[in-house]
Amino acid sequence: MSAAGEPIEDVVHAHLGGLRATLDGLAGESRRVERWGTELATRLRRGQRLFAAGNGGSAAEAQHLTAELVGRYRGEREPLSAIALHADTSTITALGNDYGYEEVFARQVRAHGRPGDVLILLSTSGRSPNLVAAAEAGRSLGLTVWALTGPGPNPLAAASSEALCLPGATPSVQEAHLVTVHLLCEVVDRTLGRSVVAPAERTKAEELVP
């Protein structure tokens, strides 16, 4: 029995059922995910950058995305410029202390963002003031702002260039956001193609050139 007196089996089935419904919603957004991944790959190959941010569990999802792009997802390729705005604790705490927590992402966007860069913001509620402020800052500077949220409409979706709003409870949405992160990485890798050579491989190839 769970702490609430509900059989554990029912808790597990309810959770998985909720996740299935949310993933069904994600499946309905497959064209958007494909388009975002293709566009992201094109921008990153041109030398533009991805910034990502979230709070709590969504921060972990955002950082998962940037880690896969700077490192690798499945196969070897060039490292891609992707920065998690919440990962610099000194900057986050300084900005929170001096400007308030609402500004911790927006001020970084204004410092680093350039037209053509992409900003991805993750929020299960879509109502985090610091993410809404970041979206507004990004759009004002010419960044493309994509939001991954829970059910819409919500303020973050409204402040962004585009939003992928998923149905379901917070845990299901957060889990589906991780699937979305992996799907974006899959599309990026497929778009860049096998011809993109990792730095170590490129060095070996260059050694063979007379």
Side-chain angles (χ1 to χ4, degrees), residues 53-55 58 121-128 131 147-150 154 156 173 177:
N55 294 295
S58 294
L121 303 170
L122 294 86
S123 171
T124 55
S125 70
R127 301 181 182 281
S128 301
L131 296 176
L148 297 178
T149 78
N154 58 69
L156 180 56
V173 170
H177 281 174

Side-chain angles (χ1 to χ4, degrees), residues 90-114:
S90 294
T91 295
I92 287 288
T93 52
L95 297 180
N97 186 64
D98 294 343
Y99 300 98
Y101 196 64
E102 187 170 324
E103 279 292 302
V104 295
F105 300 136
R107 191 167 178 87
Q108 291 186 76
V109 170
R110 288 193 290 270
H112 304 303
R114 301 292 182 268

Side-chain angles (χ1 to χ4, degrees), residues 36-89:
W36 282 9
T38 303
E39 180 65 22
L40 181 59
T42 301
R43 302 274 186 102
L44 294 175
R45 182 158 45 188
R46 286 201 306 243
Q48 291 159 321
R49 294 170 297 178
L50 167 70
F51 300 99
N55 294 295
S58 294
E61 307 283 18
Q63 198 164 341
H64 191 126
L65 172 60
T66 59
E68 300 278 28
L69 294 175
V70 175
R72 65 182 180 186
Y73 177 61
R74 288 186 185 271
E76 292 294 341
R77 54 159 165 68
E78 295 279 3
L80 303 171
S81 182
I83 300 167
L85 296 178
H86 53 273
D88 183 346
T89 55

